[in-house]
Amino acid sequence: MTSRLKKHITGASSTLLVLSVGLGIAGPVYAYQGAPMLDAAVSSGALPAVDDRLPSEPLVQDVTDAIGTYGGTLRRGFLGPSDHNNYTRVVYDALVRHAPDGGKVVPHVAKGWTSNEDFSQWTINLRAGMKWSDGAPLTADDIMFWYESILGNAELIPSTPLWMQNSDGSVAKVEKMSSTAVRWSFDQPNTAFLLALAGQDGADKSIQNLVFAPGHYLKQFHPDFTSEADLDAKVSAAGFDVWTQLFSVEALPHLSGNRPSTAAWVPANGSTVADDTFVIERNPYYFAVDAKGNQLPYIDNVKFKFFADKETLNLAAVGGQIDMQGRHLAMSNFPVLMENSDKGGYRVITYPTFGGSDAVIVFNQTYTNDEAIGDILRNKDFRIALSHSIDRDAIKELAFLGIGEARQGVPAPFHPFYPGDEYAFKYTQMDTTISNDLLDGIGLTERDGDGYRLLPNGDRLDIEISVVPAFASWADIGQLVVEDWAEVGVRAHIELRERTPHFAMRASNDLQVEIWNEDTTGFPFSGQPNFDPRSQPSLTLAPLVGKYMRSGGNEGMAPTPELQRIMDIIDEAKLSGRDRQVELAQELFKIWADNVWEIGTVGLTPMVQGVVVVNADLRNVSEVAGNDWPLRTPGNTRPEQFYYAK
Amino acid sequence: MSTATTDPEELVDFDDAVLVAPNWKLVWWRFKKHRLAFYSGFIVILIVIIAAFPGFFSTQDPYESATRGSFMPPQGIHIWDKGPAFYAYAAIGKRNQTTLKMEWVVDEETKVPLRLFGRGYEWEVLGLFKSNIHLLALRNPDVDKPIHLLGTDRLGRDQWSRVLYGTQVSLSIGLLAVFLSTVIGIFLGGISGYFGGLTDMIIQRMIELLQSIPPIPIWLALSASLPRTWSVTQGYIAITAILALITWTGLAREVRGRFLVLREEDFVVAAKMSGCSRMRIVFRHMVPTLSSHIIAAVTLAIPVMIINETFLSFLGLGLRPPAISWGVLLQEAQNLQSVALAPWLMLPGVAVIVTVIALNILGDGLRDAADPYH
């Protein structure tokens, strides 16, 4: 301990040492400083001293502007248990993270990584002496526990996630090299490995998205380590039917409330996302310090207050009751937020998206509930016709406060993956003559008494657009689109659904058309990109193709050549160097825009979680940051180094 | 009739006219004395006329959105410009580049001349034929931008026209639903009270069952189960039926109670003796004696129905856009930007309040007048 202490004394703490000696302060002297909130526990012996809590090589976290001071509560609003990603985005607890601007992957829980020449083997190095939030050591065994007992358990994870697959679909090999090193071996080069790893943070309430887990805690819920009788008793006591349900809850901190984690804040006293106020408090064993040796996070705790609906949450933001949040704040409220910012004691910053389109109309390519509707959704001319009939200028003015640009769901012009203006603006010109000609051309010539087109079989054509009103004013956009389509004789109606039924219908292939945002354009080759029918969860692009690919062609629907090409591109890009990846990405987005499986409307706006309210006293919040789901914004801006100036 | 039960000595003070006047005349005289109810009646008639011809009174197609016309505040009409005139000032909207708010300035340089009974967009008269004549119209519709008496909503749609079309839907749903529930109530209450016995037992238990379930959850469940593919018209009819199917029980109870008393009356016995069929006795002889009472009950039930439709739609469970009703309009105003930036979008609430109060006072007056002998 003494040698470790000496080795890691930083400049700042030696100053402190000198100072404290100079002032004649008695008592122990540490290499690092901990939060005053924990002083009582440390002096009573309930908690080890800060030096013993930190790993031997803690992460030295950059701060956005200045070294901070301890204390305070970060208040956020959430919409209940289904809003679990509200938590995920704050803690962003992964082995490696995306940098704030999204430009690269940086070490986080993992100290670093190495790979072999052809990128088929990756070694992840952990921090020696690193601890879980309950003080138990975090070692390579915790990755091996995930690999052997979670990923390797067919009941928990029936089909291997894409990122862990070899080219033949078998599971990649993971080996423990030492207590702090784990090696992944793929049978082919895998250049997207780190990007994939940056998304394995338990997001989406899915154990699919884990890559390390506290074996010492979870073994009590796993049949390989616990007797059947004990486990059954626990399962029924928790009100579940099978052990996998209990395990899936206990494996994620925000559902379990007790599961140790490595995040900056951990659930306080068993608090979960099912609570009215979900409280997470300082993790005394958090592995990062600032450049002066202060253990992070600066802020003591984060409180997620439950709001029954989005409007009251927005009202709370206007009233200054939210300290840092972009999620659920409607861009349409931007003027109200701006006008009340002085009174509410906050400032408003915007994080425009990386590209894509902030409201896209996704057409299910494998819809089978109604054969005639399914055929029409698969018809490319139909989709082109509908794209040309949309008045994007009106959508921009009425739903996007006049900002952004009309575009398809491709990356931003400044992004290397940008496929060119021709594709970004393909089919976005409003021209009802083109629309009507195309619609007549595909046999939708008969009309009913109200002037709406009939299907070739004589049935009424009526498309259901499923909209989740949780984000953005997609319902209004849907309404404008419905009116535009009516102009060319295509009847459609909006169906407002809550997130949960909407997602369930996505998965069960029951959605015809949905409105969502085209995020992930900066990351088409990692995580769960919207372009890949195999993604889970995916948009409603082609659920049966996903099923087909996962079942090895036994179930579902075979992909069209275009969709097959998209998947081939993604697979090839994972094995390719950067230059080839850029080429492939551009090809992907050309195919994407050309086939209009998703009709883009307006993009490059801060509509989706990009209007951010920040407490006037909160510091170290990035003014500019990448905003995308893979980045877990604001997780990528390092909330653990936010602090209050007063 | 019911004069038989009145103490004859009370009649001495009445004028001769009163003694010989038919029942409806007595009701009318009594009603006229209730000043508030009398004026409420006028308001109700006005509202009914608007509901019948919303297109005539509106200034713009209620569905038409304007790309750069969101959140325009209400515009005033001016009738004096160094002499009688009829115009409004043009409004110029510009987006504030810092707050991104649409800010409107009245341009006092530019006058938009108006006229009465001018031409505008085409509307359907009672679904029979089309007309393009409006009470208030632009003098130069080809040049000037439309005026918005109650401002515009977030999509730039004319709030005045939307409130008027909402009047049609909300009022007619109230009327239709009450009509349906009255028919069901009188029919079931009538046969229940007249026949008694097992019939009465079954119907009364059914009523108790329906009354024991709180109405709001049933409405919510029924409305939520409506197929979303239904058109606006189908949804409208379904909501009407749902409202009616739950609310007939009160009236049925009242009718039954009356019938239990009436069926022992002399005139009923007389009709029975003359060999009238049971249905004829019920609906030809007994129901008319209750008519004044029923009218009063119905008038009081309409505002309740309007409120019901409004709250169902407000919760997003009744009518939904693109249908326009007061509830739908209020639901669309149920957000921060409307409350903070466009308070005029709350005006449909005023329409609801005025209509409901007018109907309630009218119903009150009618109920007082309905039994002129007391």
Side-chain angles (χ1 to χ4, degrees), chain A residues 52-55 129-133 135-138 261-262 283 285-286:
Chain A
D52 299 324
R53 301 198 302 264
L54 282 161
M130 165 112 185
K131 296 182 181 64
W132 290 98
S133 56
L138 183 151
S261 88
T262 51
N283 171 1
Y285 294 92
Y286 192 60

Side-chain angles (χ1 to χ4, degrees), chain A residues 376 382 435-449 451-459 461 488-490:
Chain A
I376 207 80
F382 179 69
S435 299
N436 280 317
D437 288 351
L438 282 168
L439 292 169
D440 290 341
I442 58 173
L444 298 175
T445 44
E446 298 300 311
R447 296 193 183 219
D448 67 8
Y452 287 109
R453 293 171 192 271
L454 300 172
L455 285 164
N457 64 9
D459 287 351
L461 169 62
V488 294
V490 174

Side-chain angles (χ1 to χ4, degrees), chain B residues 263-283:
Chain B
R263 71 176 178 182
E264 307 303 333
E265 293 280 344
D266 292 346
F267 74 97
V268 175
V269 178
K272 224 183 256 177
M273 294 300 195
S274 327
C276 289
S277 77
R278 285 175 161 185
M279 284 300 151
R280 187 176 161 84
I281 295 170
V282 171
F283 295 107

Side-chain angles (χ1 to χ4, degrees), chain A residues 311 315 397 401 476 495, chain B residues 67 95 101 154 228 336:
Chain A
E311 287 304 328
L315 199 61
E397 279 299 324
L401 303 171
D476 276 352
E495 178 63 69
Chain B
T67 302
R95 204 176 279 288
K101 178 185 170 186
R154 67 197 187 291
R228 302 298 167 98
L336 194 54

